[in-house]
Amino acid sequence: MNEKQLIQKSIDGDSEAFNQLVQPYLQVSYTTSYLILNDKQLTEDAIQESLYQTYISLKRFDEEKAQFKTWLNRIVINCSLKVKRKIKIFTEFQPSYMKVNEKSPEEIMVQNEKYEGLYQSIYKLSSKLKVVIILHYFQELSIQEIALTLEISEGTVKSRLHKARKKLEVILKNDNLLGGD
Amino acid sequence: MDKVIKECLQYKASEMPISSSISIQNIINNKKRKKLSLSWVYISSPIVALALIFIFIFIPSDKQVKENIAIGETSLMQADLVTNEPTLRNNKSAASNIELQQPIGVMKMQDELIINKSSYILSSTQASVQIGDMYGKIQTNDLQQSDNLIYANSLPLGTDIFYTSDSSIFIAITANQEWLYYQKQ
């Protein structure tokens, strides 16, 4: 069954078809939401809300305007930002050293601290800049795709990306996080 | 820098486990459950509020009336009408309730009544006393005053006196159905 058929079946109330429809995008939805929220429980809530919103507003989805993937991505981002606004939590940064890695524990620790520090800086960016950074660097979307997802102009995407990069560059240099790059 | 940001985000994203059991049916069911539990909160809130109002306002007041009835029927000496300042409001209603009880035994004052003078208006034979939110009048032929206190040595004929078991609080109902509140110093 192709995506179009799954969408139609979902509109008709087939929840199994909907599960199949969203399954390929779940992983990226989860991780994107997590990068925005930095909290696992909130991410679960945001994803559940996103899927619910997607399911109930599927009738309004217009495939001529955007792909389903882009539309779902937009809902996930909006729901995550909504959760963030609503909760206004101050998430404590909790470094995780539990990852499986071939490097020595000391190297892992140094690398993790470096990433955690950088993520902290990304997390502290404004929501607008942060989302653009996540879509560009994590989801590896093009400028055009980001513009479509966020429903903003390509020029705005470029400007936000530039601003975010400048801010991060300063932080990275100050904290010596750039290393050999 | 691009590489570092990319690696950083990938590293961070790997922390998030993906829920494998997620299904729209479960999500809808969760939503329904939440709505249901919330609706119970909405439904039960006014009921709980009304119950609390009933418990905190009506029941104590009713209890006080019953106590006062019992006092009238048995021994006025046992009445514990007021114990401290914060219960003055209840005491007021208690006094009003006493006013309705008939017949009320007439008792003689054994001791001189002394009332704090800080809030009263005194004429030759009448004192209006305000204590907290309670208001009363003393009509007597023999009012004496000192700097801070007023002494009522005798009270009008037919005045009914109620007092607490420790004799610290007095309530008098005159023949004209005016009630008086005295606190012995």
Side-chain angles (χ1 to χ4, degrees):
Chain A
M1 218 181 293
N2 64 29
E3 198 168 86
K4 199 174 176 180
Q5 288 168 320
L6 287 172
I7 290 170
Q8 194 48 55
K9 279 199 162 240
S10 303
I11 292 170
D12 295 340
D14 186 341
S15 54
E16 198 42 55
F18 183 79
N19 292 340
Q20 280 183 47
L21 176 69
V22 295
Q23 195 61 43
Y25 312 114
L26 270 185
Q27 181 153 4
V28 77
S29 298
Y30 262 98
T31 45
T32 303
S33 177
Y34 180 64
L35 288 173
I36 293 171
L37 293 166
N38 193 23
D39 183 284
K40 287 172 187 170
Q41 189 51 52
L42 291 180
T43 301
E44 284 285 350
D45 294 346
I47 292 298
Q48 289 209 9
E49 185 61 26
S50 308
L51 294 180
Y52 181 73
Q53 292 300 332
T54 308
Y55 186 68
I56 60 168
S57 42
L58 208 52
K59 276 177 263 179
R60 294 202 299 272
F61 168 66
D62 185 353
E63 59 181 355
E64 287 176 7
K65 284 185 182 171
Q67 291 180 351
F68 178 75
K69 176 190 167 186
T70 309
W71 189 64
L72 175 65
N73 207 8
R74 187 186 304 155
I75 294 175
V76 168
I77 290 164
N78 286 340
C79 283
S80 303
L81 292 176
K82 199 172 166 186
V83 166
K84 194 171 190 293
R85 274 197 299 272
K86 210 188 275 183
I87 308 286
K88 279 194 175 175
I89 50 147
F90 179 75
T91 42
E92 284 292 327
F93 204 66
Q94 294 174 330
S96 165
Y97 305 119
M98 304 301 288
K99 286 176 66 186
V100 179
N101 201 307
E102 288 173 358
K103 293 176 181 175
S104 71
E106 290 79 16
E107 282 174 324
I108 292 166
M109 195 173 280
V110 170
Q111 191 193 39
N112 285 357
E113 278 178 359
K114 174 181 160 183
Y115 288 150
E116 294 285 1
L118 177 56
Y119 175 71
Q120 186 80 308
S121 306
I122 295 170
Y123 183 74
K124 282 177 186 168
L125 290 175
S126 70
S127 295
K128 284 177 181 176
L129 301 185
K130 181 164 55 184
V131 167
V132 171
I133 285 282
I134 291 167
L135 293 181
H136 184 69
Y137 287 104
F138 177 68
Q139 288 200 15
E140 298 183 338
L141 297 186
S142 67
I143 302 290
Q144 193 189 8
E145 285 170 325
I146 296 172
L148 267 174
T149 305
L150 301 179
E151 290 182 304
I152 52 176
S153 71
E154 290 182 28
T156 309
V157 176
K158 281 179 194 167
S159 146
R160 286 184 189 175
L161 205 51
H162 178 72
K163 222 182 264 181
R165 281 172 57 89
K166 277 281 171 201
K167 283 191 175 184
L168 288 175
E169 203 173 338
V170 173
I171 297 165
L172 290 171
K173 273 182 186 163
N174 286 347
D175 296 349
N176 283 327
L177 292 171
L178 274 174
D181 294 324
Chain B
M1 189 175 98
D2 291 354
K3 191 185 160 206
V4 178
I5 296 173
K6 208 176 277 187
E7 281 176 0
C8 161
L9 291 175
Q10 277 165 0
Y11 153 80
K12 189 67 190 171
S14 67
E15 282 181 358
M16 184 65 208
I18 313 297
S19 178
S20 55
S21 61
I22 196 158
S23 84
I24 190 64
Q25 206 50 52
N26 290 341
I27 294 168
I28 291 168
N29 290 341
N30 283 344
K31 285 256 174 198
K32 277 183 187 166
R33 264 200 297 276
K34 272 184 191 171
K35 269 190 185 168
L36 196 65
S37 59
L38 272 177
S39 62
W40 270 110
V41 171
Y42 294 139
I43 291 166
S44 59
S45 294
I47 297 168
V48 171
L50 282 173
L52 287 173
I53 289 167
F54 184 77
I55 289 166
F56 287 110
I57 298 175
F58 292 111
I59 289 183
S61 171
D62 191 39
K63 192 181 168 191
Q64 195 74 54
V65 172
K66 281 178 187 166
E67 276 179 14
N68 294 329
I69 291 167
I71 292 159
E73 284 173 354
T74 56
S75 167
L76 295 170
M77 297 293 287
Q78 298 302 312
D80 191 11
L81 297 171
V82 228
T83 50
N84 49 38
E85 280 292 312
T87 59
L88 280 175
R89 188 178 292 277
N90 279 342
N91 185 48
K92 185 175 181 179
S93 74
S96 304
N97 291 323
I98 289 166
E99 209 172 343
L100 299 171
Q101 304 305 308
Q102 293 293 340
I104 306 167
V106 179
M107 301 190 72
K108 287 181 184 174
M109 284 301 303
Q110 299 297 318
D111 299 310
E112 182 182 60
L113 286 179
I114 304 168
I115 300 159
N116 195 315
K117 197 183 161 186
S118 60
S119 56
Y120 74 96
I121 303 161
L122 184 70
S123 68
S124 57
T125 57
Q126 181 175 303
S128 299
V129 183
Q130 180 97 41
I131 302 171
D133 60 352
M134 303 216 21
Y135 180 78
K137 281 181 184 170
I138 305 165
Q139 287 177 309
T140 169
N141 294 322
D142 190 7
L143 284 176
Q144 292 174 19
Q145 55 179 316
S146 68
D147 287 341
N148 296 312
L149 301 168
I150 173 169
Y151 299 83
N153 288 330
S154 64
L155 288 159
L157 192 66
T159 300
D160 297 329
I161 306 292
F162 299 84
Y163 54 100
T164 54
S165 52
D166 63 357
S167 300
S168 63
I169 309 277
F170 293 80
I171 289 177
I173 297 179
T174 68
N176 298 328
Q177 294 293 294
E178 289 171 324
W179 63 267
L180 313 172
Y181 172 87
Y182 307 147
Q183 186 153 21
K184 198 177 175 187
Q185 302 297 301

